[in-house]
């Protein structure tokens, strides 16, 4: 009995710590706080963010261009007000030089019917009138938007060519157990003509353009 | 001891098989394989019963007045008879005719424009539509949690009481997957139980020559999209498939409906513009509007004498399946 207990504790001791992947939303140099007013020089007006959610999927750790660790068939709904971390449970300590992941839901899962967990349509990331997941959702306010209550809404989705919005991201990172990935919303918004483009809620050329813009502003802290 | 172990493993083995097998869909051997992946949603009697209860319950709508069955009545092969355009909560009228629900396990895209990519996800569209049920899946979950016997029904179906969007949608799918129509006179003939009359036989030959390329046997649709030469109704400006794909070649393309149960499912076409089968056939004989993406088979219209028209209708009537329409297992649960 003692022997079994010893094996178990040894196993536990040698099991590597999970790698924690944390998403850190920023507005310029500041940590992004929900509903807080920030100033954007580009539009010379204030901006506040009410919600930021996106699907994180297909995470790979890479060493010399080869995949050494892979999370398959798992979609994590990252939400600024609920969940910003994902843990990777590796079997042994790994050496890696970069991380890859997708922002969005892959095209096979998009057509696979009702699913649970983070993909359950009750999570509010599914378009009911035209099937498909919203890959990335950003909602906020700015006086520059000539809309009701000055809101802007970017619901970015679409999985069928030519409006495929899933984005593949590769970032260099060295063997860390805590990987912090910044997403700079200020830089993303600076690429968008917010006065004229503020309501995107269906697959279109604009959705594809915006998906490319936010994909550019993920970086390792 | 040995006997006990054998017995236990035998019980486990048998129960594993029965659980995995679940409830089997019954369909004739001349039907193709279902396109719905039944391994991802194993049918059980309890889940089908839950889906049926949900299908008939107006609790799925915002003001608890409209159920799925409001526009998909079993007596009309789950279509909405007498209404060219279907109506939802507060007597609001939509822009399309509610299609019949049958043989859904063989269909991949749903709605007249194919905007829905899976049977499971289909129910979300009418639930959310402001002119249909005007409700959200999350609010439905709240209501179901507080309404007997739903927590018990969910427990029976899924072995726990936690109600989720996935479970609601899968239960609705399970009931709808059971809606198989395969007992019409046409089917009896296929099964060598009955014979066509001479007139029906003549109609069958005309059907195969003129209609089968889109309304393909034995499901009587190939479930693709086509422009069948309908002039656009400018009060609706419904461009069909184009609204989903935004490709000009898809303009005015609509999903080809099955012809099964056609006598029960009037009016016809996506906007319910024709009330009788006669009007529909007349459209194909002399009403086709030419356009670039018109179905090539319709470029010259369909040539039929008035006798041939009568023969064709005689065949089409054999696609009515009263055993399906009056099946008590599909009706309002009592």
């Amino acid at each position: 009995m003692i022997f079994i207990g010893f094996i178990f504790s040894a196993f536990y001791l040698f099991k590597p710590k999970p790698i924690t992947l944390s998403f850190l939303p920023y507005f310029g140099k500041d940590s992004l706080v929900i509903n807080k007013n920030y100033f954007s020089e580009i539009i010379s007006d204030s901006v506040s963010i009410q919600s930021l959610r996106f699907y994180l999927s297909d995470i790979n750790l890479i060493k010399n261009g080869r995949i050494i660790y892979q999370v398959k068939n798992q979609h994590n709904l990252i939400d600024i007000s609920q969940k910003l971390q994902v843990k990777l449970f590796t079997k042994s300590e790994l050496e890696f030089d970069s991380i890859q992941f997708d922002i969005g839901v892959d095209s096979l899962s998009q057509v696979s019917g009702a699913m649970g967990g983070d993909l359950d349509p009750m999570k509010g990331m599914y378009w009911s009138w035209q099937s498909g997941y919203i890959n990335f959702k950003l909602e906020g306010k700015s006086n520059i938007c000539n809309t009701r209550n000055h809101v802007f809404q970017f619901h970015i989705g679409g999985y069928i060519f030519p409006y495929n919005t899933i984005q593949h991201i590769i970032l260099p990172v060295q063997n860390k157990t805590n990987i912090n990935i910044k997403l700079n919303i200020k830089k993303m918004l600076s690429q968008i003509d917010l006065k004229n483009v503020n309501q995107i809620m269906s697959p279109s050329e604009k959705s594809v353009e915006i998906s490319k813009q936010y994909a550019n502003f993920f970086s390792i802290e | 001891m040995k006997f006990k172990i054998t017995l236990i493993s035998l019980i486990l083995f048998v129960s594993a098989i029965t659980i995995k097998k679940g409830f089997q869909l019954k369909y004739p051997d001349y039907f193709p394989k279902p396109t719905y992946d039944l391994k991802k949603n194993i049918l059980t009697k309890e889940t089908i019963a839950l889906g049926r209860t949900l299908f008939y319950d107006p609790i799925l709508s915002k003001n608890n007045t409209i159920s799925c069955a409001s526009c998909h009545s079993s007596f009309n092969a789950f279509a909405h008879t007498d209404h060219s355009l279907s109506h939802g909560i507060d007597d609001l009228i939509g822009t399309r005719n509610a299609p019949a629900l049958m043989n859904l396990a063989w269909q991949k895209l749903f709605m007249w424009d194919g905007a829905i990519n899976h049977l499971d996800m289909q129910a979300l569209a009418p639930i959310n539509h402001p002119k249909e049920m005007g409700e959200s899946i999350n609010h439905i979950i709240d209501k179901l949690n507080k309404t007997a016997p739903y927590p018990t029904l969910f427990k029976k179906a899924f072995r726990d009481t936690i109600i989720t969007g996935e479970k609601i949608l899968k239960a609705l799918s399970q009931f709808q997957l059971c809606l198989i129509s395969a007992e019409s006179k046409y089917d009896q003939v296929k099964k060598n139980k009955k014979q066509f009359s001479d007139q029906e036989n003549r109609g069958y030959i005309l059907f195969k020559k003129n209609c089968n390329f889109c309304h393909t046997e034995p499901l009587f649709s190939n479930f693709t999209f086509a422009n069948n030469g309908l002039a656009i109704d400018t009060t609706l400006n419904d461009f069909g498939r184009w609204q989903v794909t935004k490709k000009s070649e898809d303009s005015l393309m609509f999903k080809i409906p099955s012809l099964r149960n056609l006598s029960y499912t009037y009016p016809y076409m996506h906007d319910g513009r024709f009330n009788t089968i006669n009007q529909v056939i007349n459209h194909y004989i002399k009403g086709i509007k030419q356009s670039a993406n018109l179905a090539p088979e319709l470029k010259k219209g369909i040539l039929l004498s008035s006798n041939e028209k009568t023969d064709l209708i005689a065949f089409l009537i054999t696609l009515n399946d009263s055993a399906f329409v009056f099946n008590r297992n599909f009706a309002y649960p009592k």
Side-chain angles (χ1 to χ4, degrees), chain A residues 110 114 120 122 126 128 131 159, chain B residues 115-117 120 128 138 166:
Chain A
Q110 292 270 11
D120 195 305
M122 65 194 261
Y126 196 82
S128 60
S131 298
Y159 64 96
Chain B
I116 306 299
N117 68 21
D120 293 355
N128 279 169
N138 297 62
E166 182 193 19

Side-chain angles (χ1 to χ4, degrees), chain B residues 278-295:
Chain B
N278 209 28
Q279 286 175 319
V280 174
I281 296 179
N282 284 342
H283 163 74
Y284 287 114
I285 294 174
K286 57 190 177 194
I288 298 282
K289 194 177 180 321
Q290 296 293 326
S291 61
N293 66 349
L294 178 70

